[in-house]
């Protein structure tokens, strides 16, 4: 695995490459928001509708066994807990 870093607003973010696949460190990006609680930043981001739609699109492209109907139900529920608590 090869890695390199980029600097964004004085924060270093690691990019990894392996077998023609590229990865970016979510932990490094979350550190920009709160360096002590990166796990919460990522956890909260994964709950957003945009993140869920992104993951669904990634699955459609990369997973030949992706179950679209089940995903649609999951996606439609995204954010509903937050909306109901307002």
């Amino acid at each position: 695995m090869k890695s390199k870093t980029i600097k964004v607003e004085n924060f270093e973010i690691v990019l990894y490459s392996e077998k023609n696949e590229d990865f970016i460190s979510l932990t490094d990006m979350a550190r920009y928001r709160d360096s002590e609680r990166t796990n919460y930043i990522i956890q909260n981001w994964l709950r957003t509708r945009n993140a869920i739609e992104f993951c669904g699109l990634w699955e459609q492209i990369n997973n030949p066994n992706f179950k679209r109907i089940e995903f649609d139900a999951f996606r439609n529920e995204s954010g509903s807990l937050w909306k109901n608590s307002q």
Side-chain angles (χ1 to χ4, degrees), residues 1-2 16-23 58 62:
M1 182 178 288
K2 295 184 270 183
Y16 300 96
S17 295
E18 182 178 336
K19 298 180 185 175
N20 295 328
E21 298 283 334
D22 296 322
F23 305 91
W58 188 93
N62 295 288

Side-chain angles (χ1 to χ4, degrees), residues 19-68:
K19 298 180 185 175
N20 295 328
E21 298 283 334
D22 296 322
F23 305 91
I24 188 165
S25 173
L26 288 177
T27 305
D28 289 347
M29 291 192 307
R31 198 170 283 123
Y32 171 76
R33 179 77 168 179
D34 186 339
S35 64
E36 298 297 318
R37 298 172 35 147
T38 57
N39 56 332
Y40 290 108
I41 301 301
I42 294 169
Q43 177 182 341
N44 289 334
W45 173 73
L46 285 170
R47 291 181 177 148
T48 66
R49 185 171 182 101
N50 287 340
I52 291 169
E53 288 180 355
F54 172 81
C55 291
L57 179 59
W58 188 93
E59 285 291 332
Q60 287 177 40
I61 293 168
N62 295 288
N63 181 355
N65 298 316
F66 180 67
K67 294 176 175 56
R68 177 68 192 224

